[in-house]
Amino acid sequence: MNKNERFSRKRSICLLLFALFFAAGGYAQKITVKGTVVDEMNEPVIGANVVEKGTINGIITDLDGHFTLSVDEKAVIVVSYIGYKPQEVNATKDPMRIILREDSEMLEEVVVIGYGSVKKDDATGSVTAIKPDKMNRGLTTNAQDLMAGKIAGVNVVSSGGTPGGGATIRIRGGSSLNANNDPLIVIDGLAMDNDGVKGLSNPLSMVNPNDIETFTVLKDASATAIYGSRASNGVIIITTKKGALEGGKSKVRITYDGNVSMSNAKDKIEVMNADEYRARIKQQYGESSDAYKALGNANTDWQKEIYRVAFSTDHNISMYGGLGTTPFRVSIGYTNQNGILKTSNFERYTASLNLSPSFFDGMLKLNGNLKGMYAQSRFADAGAVGAATRMDPTHPVMGEGEIYPKYFGGYFQWTNDGKALNDPTWTVTNNSLAPANPVSLLELKNDRSKSKSLVGNLEVDYKFHFLPDLRIHANGGMDLSTGKQTTDVSPYSFTNNYYGSYGFEEIDKYNLSFNTYLQYVKSAGIHNLDVMAGYEWQHFHREGNNRYTGYYPKTNTINPGKEYSPSHKEWASENFLVSFFGRLNYTLADKYLFTATVRRDGSSRFHKDHRWGTFPSFAFGWKMKEEGFLKDVDALSDLKLRLGYGVTGQQNIGSDYSYFASYTANKGFAYYPIGYGKGESYRPDAYNKNLKWEKTTTSNAGLDFGLMNGRISGAVDYYYRRTDDLINYVYVSAGTNFKNQVNANIGSLENRGVEFSIQAKPVVQKDFTWDIGFNLTYNKNKITKLTSGDGEGYYVSTGGISYGTGNKAQAHAVGHPAYAFYVYQQVYDEKGKPIENTFVDRNGDGIINASDKYFYKKPTADVLMGLSSKMLYKAWDFSFTLRTSLNNYVYNDVESSSSNLSQLYAPSGFLINRPTMVLENNWQGEGNFYMSDYFVQNASFLKCDNITLGYSFNLKRLGSGRVFAAVQNVFTITGYKGLDPELITGSGTGLNYGIDRDLYPRPLTSLMGVTLNF
């Protein structure tokens, strides 16, 4: 080895040792960072997040705002807390004191109000803003899933387990009898209609839940009156996510959210199995009877046959950040949800784009949103649920013998002679009075839809350079939707045997909106003034057509190959809404808050004499905490009194042309020969030119409070709502109109109640925190006036039931809740067993008749409660949500319609099964047994909506992520005998308001998911 080689080797060894020394020193250099986090008032911030940037290494400040954290020597510390701007500081060994400053823009976004925003601390109305909790939400297919049980005064009831299914949302109870009770939904400033898209069972399906940033719920009239004639039922403002520049830099981030779920039927109606049924038929009819001979040899669990284990997936990818100096966000989503009822499916594709550039140093701001949705659905025949409880369990799914493949697609059905069909090749048909084979209802009906929706808006906000206190805001929006639902029913089916049925309905709609307002904001000493005035125009247009027909087979001897019972309809409808509105906010000494709003609405849905309505509101707020006698009370961090009064309206009355004479084409191709060919005939519609607005007047008193520097916060509200000029269909004298019922203003309805909500952090430690939220709502409603019936005992019947024809178990009457049950009072024997068709003679006249009916209970709950809990331990999170409904009652239509045990075998030759719940009473169908209050049953419940366990992890320099497992619809504790105590709480017309029948069961769902952030 020469000299140069030895020198080179020594140099290499020295350099390697030098590098290893510094590398070892670099890996070994950990420091302990200590510090205190305070706010601008020098008060400690409890529960602030202190994290080493780019890692999951972090802790939460203690009760004194202190923290201690071990980090790399050159680390950057990120400190954040809700409502404050995050701070980034370099790690140091010296004690740190970090001051968090209020993020006023964030606070304004948290409480978005009509045509603007307000700091939460300055809000005078009853307003609740929530941000969806990604750790405690379970399976969220649609937007309403994020709100259930989370907000006081808001009741969200899903329409069952239908894939992509909708929900009924009620804010402080319903304010109407027949007009729409749904709240107004505003998405990024665009007020939506509540009709949804044809082929979608949920009008909110157009919005991907992963794109939602916040929900703001406006509950009292002082908050909602700015929306005037559409706000009687409250307002839900949905704000979607936007892009943002990070420290002025155009950094782009990518997020993926996905999950896979498995659903199965949790509960079933208990019915007699095959052996029990055979024994019952033998005992009741005897072995030599036709009933016994009609029994089969199978052992079929019909409910098992219609349900399945359903697998579903949901995937969402979003990219957000900045393109140069323009913040942006783009997302795509895919949902494929299979239902537990065979053949049901919901498949959806979504995409969204947001651009929010600023110009002239922020004086001009633009915000553009575009959301697209394409969905395909397959709807299962929900009648299969009821049919599965009635179908004879001794017969198989597929029939044995040649008649079943020839006439019923192979499925077993109860049969009748088919001679009346006049077809020598089709001599057998189904018995239309018998239960249908539930599997055939699903498999021989293809009911599918395709729906498209495009929703977008462009907002322009400009602060005048010559007067920055004055700004103009304009927002133009559109909702373009189209949907087509195609329904094909096989000629081998039960419902359309021999003829089949083929058809479609297609509906196109658009909603165009433009609003603009001027806002002047000025502060001078202890005075703060905010004045706004604006104008809005909105146009709703819908048009559609449908066609359905069956066909005579070519082998029919009378009408070979011709259409059977064809129907066709084309229609179009539109309405306009023109509005002028204004708002005044005045703050004195940052203690006393005054708000006044007014809106003047003109709707084309009313006659010119009743077209315009004025809707004012007033509110007062008092920041009591700022007063001298409370300012030094350290335990109290917030105390504010709110008082409000206002008037809102209702113009969503179900028809655009109720006030003038209009004509509708007759159904069934009713033609009249006129000259050459056929002339289509039309019939006149009922109308009422005196129809006018429903008006709801609301008074509200509330108290917001905070304790321990916001560690505990909450609110309590009392409200009173009175709706006058209630709209409902009422009977009119013969000959006075074109129908015997007409839409009219008939009376008044009141709601009064109390709301309470509280959020707390019971535990705040280095490695463990616990967040908990609780809300309670008490509501009572009562009809106070029905102008169409002044006589004692006048009522408007509603609530149709299954047994018999035209029977109704509910009614509206003065002094009683809306949709109260109107039934007979049941008599019981000494053992507490109900005696069939034996009722109390309540009026004492010795006769049991309709005069002995009475109002008994109601379907709406007296008390609703929600509890949400989230616990974080290091990288683990565990959360759950509970909901309770107390003193809500349901008419058990399943039990009522099955209680007649004298007809297990019908004279026309078929067998019917019965639920086991009716066997003990052994009723034989005497008299009006079905109108007994025995079937009005307490449906109070406690439900666990979801339980979630998650683990967050660090992807080193790539980003972060979280994996989780969750269970949805975990358990229900109730004394109700039916399948599910939670029913749809009203559908506008109230036809299924507390009546339990054919509910698509809510499944038990287990899911696993992952979130990745890059």
Side-chain angles (χ1 to χ4, degrees), residues 167-215:
T168 299
I169 304 174
R170 293 290 176 265
I171 298 176
R172 293 183 168 180
S175 64
S176 182
L177 295 181
N178 192 65
N180 197 290
N181 277 306
D182 296 328
L184 174 67
I185 307 292
V186 180
I187 302 176
D188 290 329
L190 176 63
M192 313 296 291
D193 64 25
N194 289 318
D195 296 324
V197 185
K198 180 62 182 177
L200 281 181
S201 53
N202 186 355
L204 286 176
S205 290
M206 65 184 69
V207 182
N208 188 326
N210 286 276
D211 291 334
I212 294 176
E213 180 70 21
T214 60
F215 290 95

Side-chain angles (χ1 to χ4, degrees), residues 233-284:
N233 301 304
V235 181
I236 298 176
I237 301 175
I238 297 175
T239 304
T240 57
K241 295 176 180 177
K242 299 176 176 62
L245 300 177
E246 295 186 22
K249 299 179 181 179
S250 57
K251 190 171 184 178
V252 175
R253 297 190 180 276
I254 299 174
T255 297
Y256 166 79
D257 281 293
N259 64 70
V260 178
S261 63
M262 178 183 72
S263 302
N264 56 277
K266 187 174 69 169
D267 298 304
K268 299 176 183 177
I269 296 291
E270 292 295 327
V271 298
M272 287 184 279
N273 62 33
D275 291 338
E276 292 170 338
Y277 192 71
R278 290 188 186 96
R280 178 80 190 198
I281 294 297
K282 179 179 178 181
Q283 173 192 355
Q284 186 165 329

Side-chain angles (χ1 to χ4, degrees), residues 155 157 170 173-174 177 779 781 798-799 809-812 816-822 855-864 885-892 936-941 980-987 990-996:
N155 187 25
V157 181
R170 293 290 176 265
L177 295 181
N779 184 79
N781 80 71
T798 187
Q810 293 170 307
H812 303 310
H816 301 282
Y819 299 100
F821 297 102
Y822 191 54
F855 289 93
Y856 176 70
K857 305 299 183 181
K858 58 183 176 28
T860 53
D862 286 339
V863 177
L864 297 170
S885 178
L886 300 179
N887 210 31
N888 54 298
Y889 280 74
V890 166
Y891 179 89
N892 192 338
V936 179
Q937 299 168 4
N938 192 324
S940 300
F941 64 82
D980 195 322
E982 188 173 28
L983 302 178
I984 297 176
T985 55
S987 56
L991 293 178
N992 193 27
Y993 197 93
I995 309 293
D996 182 9

